[in-house]
Amino acid sequence: MDETTQYEKELAQAKENLADLQKRGTDAIGESWNELRKELFTLEENVASDLRVAIMIELVRARKERGISQKKLEELSGVKQPIIARMELGNTNPQIDTILKVLVPLGMTLAIVPLEK
């Protein structure tokens, strides 16, 4: 089974488990995650986290849409594959120049736009 198929299988199972919990009237962590994160983190921390997640989701989506492996992206961007993997998993807080290096071969860049209110 290839990496993508295994990921899709595990994602489907996780979604099924979460749907089952929600159907029974409970959240996976006992309380609503959004309520819990409001208690644990400041608004600024939550906004920064959401932006990092959004950027990484778009990076992964663009890479997969173009059929580029992390290893090939390393060759194209000069950013080492383990760093790309950590970025995609959210296990690092990459510098903007690193993000830009990875986005350029995917035909993308960052833009500064007004936040929605």
Side-chain angles (χ1 to χ4, degrees), residues 83-113:
I83 294 172
I84 294 169
R86 286 194 300 271
M87 287 171 57
E88 290 186 1
L89 290 170
N91 293 340
T92 188
N93 191 4
Q95 299 283 326
I96 289 176
D97 61 333
T98 303
I99 295 169
L100 291 171
K101 285 178 186 177
V102 171
L103 288 175
V104 168
L106 300 174
M108 302 180 84
T109 191
L110 293 178
I112 298 173
V113 297

Side-chain angles (χ1 to χ4, degrees), residues 7-110:
Y7 169 78
E8 289 170 353
K9 182 179 176 184
E10 290 172 4
L11 180 61
Q13 182 63 50
K15 286 180 180 179
E16 193 175 302
N17 292 344
L18 182 58
D20 180 56
L21 286 169
Q22 290 171 334
K23 185 170 53 173
R24 290 186 286 153
T26 184
D27 287 325
I29 58 174
E31 290 280 333
S32 164
W33 169 242
N34 287 330
E35 292 301 316
L36 181 61
R37 72 190 292 234
K38 284 179 187 175
E39 291 178 27
L40 294 175
F41 305 106
T42 66
L43 176 62
E44 292 80 11
E45 290 170 324
N46 284 320
V47 168
S49 175
D50 290 347
L51 288 172
R52 279 192 303 275
V53 168
I55 290 168
M56 291 309 112
I57 287 171
E58 286 302 310
L59 186 149
V60 172
R61 184 192 56 75
R63 182 179 64 74
K64 289 185 176 185
E65 278 181 359
R66 288 160 179 78
I68 298 173
S69 68
Q70 290 179 350
K71 189 65 177 167
K72 181 66 176 176
L73 190 54
E74 172 186 22
E75 295 170 19
L76 296 171
S77 68
V79 176
K80 298 292 185 189
Q81 182 275 328
I83 294 172
I84 294 169
R86 286 194 300 271
M87 287 171 57
E88 290 186 1
L89 290 170
N91 293 340
T92 188
N93 191 4
Q95 299 283 326
I96 289 176
D97 61 333
T98 303
I99 295 169
L100 291 171
K101 285 178 186 177
V102 171
L103 288 175
V104 168
L106 300 174
M108 302 180 84
T109 191
L110 293 178

